Amino acid sequence: MEPKPIFNPPLHQRRHQFVVDFIKRNKTKKVVDLGCCDCTLLHRLKFHHEIELLSGVDINGEVMKKKMRSLAPLPADYLQPGDRPLSIELYQGSVTQKDSRLRGFDLVTSIELIEHLQLADVELFSEVVFGFMAPVSVIVTTPNSEFNPLLPGLVGFRHFDHKFEWTRAEFQTWALKVCEEYGYEVYFTGVGLAPPGASPTPTKFGFCSQIGVFQRLGTTENACVMPSSDVDEVFSYTLLYSVAYPSLRDNNILQGVVVNEVMYWTERLRRERMEGRTREVDEDSQVQAGRHDVIVPLVQLWSCCPKVKDLCGTLSHFTQLLLDHPLVTLTQDATAVLVTDQRQDQEDAEYEDLEDTGCTETEQYFLSATQEDDWESEL
């Protein structure tokens, strides 16, 4: 185990921060975390606006099921949808098996995973990740066994499930072989240096967690090249969870947000018009005789609501979003919104109901009160 006095913040947070920093630098859009376990890294990544597709794979489905709901959208995500699409998918399966749904990603992360495999399965892992999935970039972290003497009380491996722990030379040998076989280049780094007082020197031990960052040859850091489509489709994983976040790129959601803005501003302008506190509406609006209906030109809404401009881009797109929407009534030429005083409509409806009973308003009230008295006496 990694003792807290040596690393603050803890080493697992530093590994995750390394991934976050990489994504920010490279504007990575599609990420899959192999061995995602309790989804801690995925939960952190979902808040980064660079990412549009986030996937996780783990062989232990029960662990994922306990934590996967933390990846669901928050109420605020529906109230204020973002301008980027975000989909999250969780799969149960082995990283030594192929699944076509995980091909063509920008980044694959393998954080402290490879040492949990049998050495015989490491070759399968290499073939699946670098040969079949063929992402633009891969980040692999694994314990550096040369650092182990500095961990107080450690006997054997750092975790009971570790099948091996590589030295820096062993890790680099494997990584360079992968690059040669599958067309990648790699640079080595890590997190968690030895304390200053370590003897003979801190650099002798290297990083506690060593990291290899692989880049596929022939690609830029922020452009994904899809692997060959000649490979047969394979679906060996079980989809446990899938969710799509609300996004303004969804036309229905965009329309709903725009309509809400229109309803707010038209009602505000109508009230100002009826209270005589606005000049623009006096010039551009019409009041129907005997009613409190107001016509608000779309160009007026366009000019007074910056959010509508940002959302729609053009006045014609704004108009198109309002057409045929059940909550918005446009004039016949589709150049203005007709706003009706709902209170007046309600009063008219109530008056019509009274006429249907054949009673005056006073009589209707008296009848209701009498009935209520009778019910009370029966109770």
Side-chain angles (χ1 to χ4, degrees):
M1 298 297 292
E2 299 155 2
K4 292 182 179 178
I6 294 181
F7 302 111
N8 186 23
L11 205 59
H12 72 273
Q13 292 184 13
R14 298 188 184 195
R15 290 189 288 260
H16 290 176
Q17 187 60 49
F18 183 91
V19 174
V20 169
D21 293 340
F22 180 91
I23 290 172
K24 286 182 177 179
R25 285 195 309 270
N26 296 282
K27 309 299 180 186
T28 311
K29 293 184 178 181
K30 299 173 63 177
V31 181
V32 55
D33 183 30
L34 302 181
C36 63
C37 193
D38 62 359
C39 307
T40 300
L41 178 57
L42 298 177
H43 186 272
R44 185 170 180 179
L45 293 181
K46 78 170 189 172
F47 295 102
H48 291 273
H49 293 282
E50 297 85 359
I51 299 175
E52 296 182 358
L53 176 58
L54 194 55
S55 297
V57 178
D58 202 281
I59 199 168
N60 192 334
E62 294 304 315
V63 173
M64 285 191 291
K65 289 177 182 178
K66 291 179 180 178
K67 297 291 184 178
M68 64 188 185
R69 299 300 172 187
S70 67
L71 300 173
L74 301 172
D77 294 315
Y78 292 97
L79 294 174
Q80 294 182 324
D83 58 359
R84 56 132 186 183
L86 173 61
S87 297
I88 300 178
E89 299 171 344
L90 295 181
Y91 298 93
Q92 181 180 5
S94 170
V95 295
T96 62
Q97 294 179 311
K98 302 174 182 178
D99 193 292
S100 299
R101 290 166 290 187
L102 298 184
R103 304 186 74 231
F105 274 68
D106 297 318
L107 173 65
V108 170
T109 60
S110 172
I111 309 301
E112 306 296 284
L113 165 68
I114 196 170
E115 64 275 6
H116 291 270
L117 303 176
Q118 298 289 345
L119 278 170
D121 289 333
V122 173
E123 291 298 321
L124 291 175
F125 170 85
S126 303
E127 181 184 350
V128 168
V129 174
F130 297 95
F132 182 81
M133 295 173 65
V136 174
S137 304
V138 181
I139 297 176
V140 177
T141 82
T142 191
N144 168 24
S145 64
E146 295 171 85
F147 198 96
N148 287 355
L150 296 179
L151 301 178
L154 177 65
V155 178
F157 294 150
R158 299 183 193 180
H159 190 274
F160 72 90
D161 190 52
H162 285 185
K163 307 304 188 295
F164 63 88
E165 290 179 0
W166 276 334
T167 64
R168 283 172 287 178
E170 290 170 330
F171 178 55
Q172 291 174 15
T173 298
W174 168 79
L176 293 173
K177 180 182 177 183
V178 163
C179 291
E180 182 179 355
E181 290 184 0
Y182 300 105
Y184 282 80
E185 59 184 358
V186 63
Y187 74 86
F188 300 101
T189 181
V191 292
L193 284 172
S199 177
T201 62
T203 55
K204 173 184 180 298
F205 302 96
F207 293 99
C208 187
S209 279
Q210 50 188 332
I211 300 176
V213 181
F214 299 80
Q215 185 70 32
R216 189 178 177 189
L217 296 176
T219 65
T220 60
E221 293 185 350
N222 59 356
C224 180
V225 175
M226 289 294 294
S228 172
S229 59
D230 296 335
V231 181
D232 293 336
E233 294 292 301
V234 180
F235 304 99
S236 59
Y237 296 162
T238 300
L239 179 64
L240 295 182
Y241 183 71
S242 177
V243 64
Y245 275 57
S247 167
L248 293 174
R249 296 193 191 181
D250 183 321
N251 197 63
N252 290 330
I253 293 176
L254 173 61
Q255 185 183 45
V257 173
V258 170
V259 167
N260 285 339
E261 286 294 310
V262 167
M263 294 178 68
Y264 167 79
W265 280 97
T266 52
E267 176 60 18
R268 175 174 170 174
L269 292 172
R270 186 196 67 78
R271 289 179 180 274
E272 291 179 352
R273 169 65 181 86
M274 301 314 301
E275 294 171 5
R277 292 188 289 104
T278 181
R279 294 185 298 274
E280 291 184 4
V281 178
D282 281 338
E283 296 173 359
D284 299 329
S285 301
Q286 303 171 6
V287 180
Q288 299 179 8
R291 296 189 59 82
H292 300 303
D293 296 344
V294 175
I295 294 176
V296 181
L298 295 185
V299 291
Q300 184 179 352
L301 290 169
W302 183 259
S303 64
C304 71
C305 183
K307 186 174 181 179
V308 167
K309 286 185 177 181
D310 293 338
L311 291 172
C312 300
T314 65
L315 182 59
S316 61
H317 187 206
F318 175 43
T319 305
Q320 190 65 37
L321 289 172
L322 299 182
L323 287 173
D324 300 325
H325 194 281
L327 297 180
V328 178
T329 302
L330 295 182
T331 55
Q332 195 168 21
D333 58 2
T335 61
V337 177
L338 177 63
V339 189
T340 302
D341 188 346
Q342 296 179 354
R343 291 175 303 175
Q344 181 67 35
D345 287 344
Q346 185 177 1
E347 291 173 1
D348 292 344
E350 291 174 352
Y351 181 76
E352 291 174 359
D353 290 341
L354 292 178
E355 286 186 333
D356 291 340
T357 63
C359 303
T360 64
E361 182 175 1
T362 303
E363 291 170 337
Q364 182 72 11
Y365 172 78
F366 177 79
L367 177 60
S368 299
T370 302
Q371 290 175 337
E372 184 176 356
D373 291 340
D374 290 341
W375 294 333
E376 289 179 349
S377 64
E378 292 176 2
L379 292 173

